[in-house]
Amino acid sequence: MSAAGYPLALAPVAAIGLLTVALRPTTQTVAPLRLALVRAALVTGAFAVLTVELLGALRLLTLPAFAVAWLFFLAASVTAAGRRRRRDAARRASAAGSARGPATPAQAVAAPRRALVGATTGPAPGAPAPPPAPGAPDAATARRPRWSARLADAWRTAGRGERLLAGTVGGLLLVELLIALLAEPNNFDSQTYHLPKVEHWVAQGDLDFWPTAIHRQVTIPPGAEYLLLHLRLFTGGDALHHLVQWAAGIGVLLAATRITAQLGGGRRAQLLTAFVLATTPMVTLQATSTQTDLVCAAWVACAATLALDGLGRRTGVGTMLGLGAATGLTAVTKTNGLMAVGPLLVLWGLAQLRLARAGAAPAGATPQGAGSAPERRGAAGAPAVGGVRGVAAPGGLRPGRQVARTVTGSVLILLVAAVVVGPFLARVTAEFGHPLGPPRLRESVPMERHDPPSVLVNALRIAHTAFDTPLAPLRRAGAGAIVAGAELIGVDPQDRAITFGQERFPVPSWYPDEDRVAFPLAGALALVGAAFALARPGRVSPAQAGPLRAYAVVVVVAVLLHTAMVKWQPWGNRLLLYALALAVPLAGLWLDALFRRRAAARDGGMAGRRPVAAGLAVAVLATSALAGVLAVSYGFPRRLVGAGSVFTTSEWETRFLRRPQWAEEFRWAADAVRATGARRIGLVQQNDNWEYPWWLLLRDAEGRPPELVALQSVLPDRPPADPASVDAIVCTGSRPACVKLVPAGWRVEFRGYAGYALPPGR
């Protein structure tokens, strides 16, 4: 780690903390601190992505350039936080002064005018808050205590069950942080394309595509790797790479619990949501990985909680910008997340149009009129804010203009998203003539058949893999039924048009492996929660039945879109992580309602099925806790105990836990090449081979990376390097492929998976 690495690596954390202060909501809302954190994360994430794009275009992907960018961003964050604190202090002082005594004659004359202006336009930015109503506490009295005091109070008033839920979640997060800091990156895909992508950017100093035999290094959206690039430049290595996904896991929990609160869930429901999500093995294992699925899930969850804010009130420009940033960050990280963001934006747009037609005030505006709720509603029960059609709404806009404002806001969201993801899509389009990349990519993962029988078979296979358990007879019986049913309706269950690559259904997926582990417990709870939210939302959340049902529809639509557009594959469970994160709040709400009804039945002396159902729910939660603990303890390929433990396994062995037999082969070949002093080194590899170890092993004595150039290329307009132009060649995978590219007279050595070739005399 470089000397400047420690303070610079803390810059994103400091920025989020400062922006959380600056972006606190000014109007009453659900979970305001979590909303501020979501806003701060989106601003920081968008800044990180756009910084890479801008400096990449300027060919300045260097430590000094990134350091300057973050210092400016921190300075701006400090300024914004300071202004917000001064503005809040001024408002509190003004409110306290208003509460100390009666108004002067001049103030009494001016008060009606201020009230009229405030009712039509809302408070001006930086203006003091209006005096409190008679009998209401002033702002100084009503000011909420610090978050630490609130946290302590929540712990003090929590019951034993709530403390157990919170303690389990906190303990898992701390253990995951320990593993993330101690373990070296050893994810298979990261060895192939996630981390080599970062190294190519550092070596080039820009984001231009390069000749490569591994098309995923340039065609897969790079949003998560952009975040890794910052840490790579700050520290000079990969020691902190796991913290990106760990932080994303924190973001998913914060956003998911806020979604639960927005849908009417209290503290216990929010804790149940966090517990179910945090103990899901896929989440615990990905939180210590350099995969990208948790990052995608975090951006999708941010979009969801912002969209839900728009169901009951008009959305301000700031939230629209946040929705655009969340959409763009999802698209530039993992495009499958758009299958959830799309329906969420549709839900938001429909809600905004409904509110516009009803004449609802925009967020932050002061509603007009007094009186009881019935007096403020029309004859048909619809909100009568603004009175008759054509009369200006409280926000000062006629309904027609508010509809236009919603359409303009939708365009703004898409424009912001395009700013974030547009540069990458432009490069892909320029390179391959299509924004989704070459035909090889477009035909490998997306479904190539969309007839109902094929989609049904694909959905059943995805569900079978997602709900897999250690019970082998159950797995075989379920798979047999799916295969027989597919053949009955005329669909080949192994059809390449609905199956990734050469894989064959079924495969075991219950084992706690970060790439494929199933989530039967969380999935089952989410499925039950979604069913109740659709069929009987009033029993789950009486105060938010309508929004709950609408949200459940969005979750179901997202899952259906996924099964209709993504082929089955053995690693498909991690691709569903974003949908699971959105669905778990439904599980938390249903579990809370179940326990609430059980308590009511017990207090009323009633017996029945509810105690049995609640007992089963408790058993499922206990099993979920056990699964989470076992995942962090024995999960693969990073674990606390057993063979491969982060405490007992060396750095190099940890990197090769996926393929331990390759560790010495890579080292042997790299030692031979380094001994010759070669600096320009050719690469011979296939589409799924490991490239990243060469970037680590072939550095010089001062830690500078080598000049690695590909001797094969799947990019039509980027020819590979001439083998005669390199000082040495390293190969992985196939000896015949290596020999085919080695110049005549060169010496070739190979051991199993890795090999090298040197010119005569070396």
Side-chain angles (χ1 to χ4, degrees), residues 73-93:
F73 188 65
L74 282 175
S77 301
V78 169
T79 301
R83 287 180 177 176
R84 177 59 186 274
R85 291 177 68 89
R86 288 192 298 271
R87 187 163 62 245
D88 290 348
R91 288 177 175 173
R92 290 194 298 268

Side-chain angles (χ1 to χ4, degrees), residues 106-204:
Q107 291 171 333
V109 172
R113 182 179 300 172
R114 288 197 304 268
L116 178 61
V117 173
T120 56
T121 64
D138 59 50
T141 304
R143 184 173 57 179
R144 301 187 67 175
R146 296 175 63 86
W147 67 269
S148 56
R150 297 200 301 271
L151 185 61
D153 182 68
W155 183 263
R156 185 172 56 255
T157 59
R160 182 182 302 174
E162 292 176 340
R163 291 185 178 184
L164 183 60
L165 294 173
T168 302
V169 173
L172 285 173
L173 291 176
L174 290 176
V175 173
E176 291 162 8
L177 176 61
L178 177 65
I179 296 175
L181 291 173
L182 291 179
E184 287 72 30
N186 58 2
N187 173 262
F188 195 103
D189 285 348
S190 296
Q191 306 277 18
T192 300
Y193 67 95
H194 289 310
L195 300 186
K197 186 185 301 187
V198 175
E199 295 299 325
H200 278 286
W201 294 333
V202 174
Q204 295 178 172

Side-chain angles (χ1 to χ4, degrees), residues 59 75 160 236 300-301 305 341 389 399 496 545 603 644 670 688 699-700:
R59 301 186 180 277
R160 182 182 302 174
V300 171
T305 192
V341 174
R389 181 192 299 263
R496 297 302 101 192
D603 294 342
D688 206 30
R699 294 183 179 186
D700 62 20

Side-chain angles (χ1 to χ4, degrees), residues 324-700:
T327 303
L329 289 169
T330 300
V332 81
T333 300
K334 216 173 184 69
T335 52
N336 60 315
L338 293 177
M339 287 180 278
V341 174
L344 285 167
L345 292 180
V346 171
L347 175 64
W348 171 86
L350 293 175
Q352 291 293 292
L353 289 174
R354 177 182 61 82
L355 293 171
R357 292 177 62 85
T366 305
Q368 284 182 349
S372 63
E375 294 172 341
R376 297 194 302 270
R377 300 184 69 85
V385 179
V388 184
R389 181 192 299 263
V391 178
L397 297 176
R398 295 177 182 273
R401 294 186 64 184
Q402 291 197 44
V403 171
R405 183 178 181 274
T406 299
V407 174
T408 303
S410 302
V411 173
L412 176 63
I413 291 171
L414 296 179
L415 285 176
V416 173
V419 169
V420 176
V421 71
F424 169 70
L425 293 181
R427 288 194 300 275
V428 173
T429 303
E431 190 73 31
F432 301 105
H434 196 287
L436 297 182
R440 179 176 185 176
L441 177 63
R442 302 197 304 271
E443 297 169 2
S444 61
V445 176
M447 288 273 286
E448 298 176 77
R449 290 180 56 180
H450 298 92
D451 55 287
S454 297
V455 172
L456 175 62
V457 172
N458 192 56
L460 291 174
R461 295 183 304 166
I462 289 175
H464 180 273
T465 305
F467 287 87
D468 191 22
T469 69
L471 303 176
L474 182 62
R475 181 189 314 117
R476 289 193 294 268
I482 292 172
V483 170
E487 294 173 348
L488 185 64
I489 60 177
V491 176
D492 179 5
Q494 314 300 345
D495 185 358
R496 297 302 101 192
I498 61 174
T499 305
F500 178 83
Q502 301 301 314
E503 305 299 328
R504 295 188 62 81
F505 173 82
V507 295
S509 60
W510 63 269
Y511 185 80
D513 184 301
E514 65 174 355
D515 285 337
R516 64 173 65 192
V517 62
F519 36 83
L521 299 177
L525 291 174
L527 188 63
V528 174
F532 273 89
L534 291 171
R536 308 190 69 175
R539 293 187 62 183
V540 178
S541 180
Q544 297 289 334
L548 175 61
R549 175 176 281 168
Y551 181 78
V553 169
V554 167
V555 172
V556 171
V557 169
V559 173
L560 292 178
L561 285 174
H562 186 100
T563 57
M565 298 177 69
V566 179
K567 294 178 179 178
W568 174 88
Q569 55 183 284
W571 314 279
N573 289 341
R574 62 182 181 82
L575 303 182
L576 273 170
L577 192 54
Y578 73 94
L580 180 69
L582 290 187
V584 166
L586 302 176
L589 288 163
W590 173 74
L591 287 168
D592 181 62
L594 180 64
F595 294 142
R596 188 171 61 244
R597 292 196 300 271
R598 177 195 181 192
R602 184 178 63 246
D603 294 342
M606 298 173 59
R609 291 175 295 177
R610 288 173 185 161
V612 176
L616 289 175
V618 170
V620 171
L621 291 174
T623 307
S624 182
L626 178 62
V629 172
L630 289 176
V632 296
S633 300
Y634 294 98
F636 196 75
R638 292 165 303 280
R639 56 176 53 167
L640 282 179
V641 297
S645 166
V646 294
F647 296 115
T648 60
T649 309
S650 69
E651 172 191 346
W652 196 244
E653 290 174 334
T654 299
R655 295 182 183 277
F656 283 84
L657 281 176
R658 285 283 186 191
R659 298 291 187 272
Q661 68 274 19
W662 295 350
E664 287 306 315
E665 295 174 6
F666 268 98
R667 191 187 294 275
W668 160 78
D671 288 344
V673 171
R674 288 182 61 193
T676 67
R679 294 306 302 160
R680 180 175 169 86
I681 302 169
L683 281 173
V684 178
Q685 54 195 359
Q686 288 75 57
N687 183 57
D688 206 30
N689 288 174
W690 285 18
E691 179 182 313
Y692 186 58
W694 298 126
W695 289 98
L696 299 176
L697 288 169
L698 295 174
R699 294 183 179 186
D700 62 20

Side-chain angles (χ1 to χ4, degrees), residues 38-53:
V38 166
R39 292 172 172 177
L42 288 172
V43 172
T44 305
F47 167 79
V49 168
L50 293 177
T51 296
V52 173
E53 290 288 0

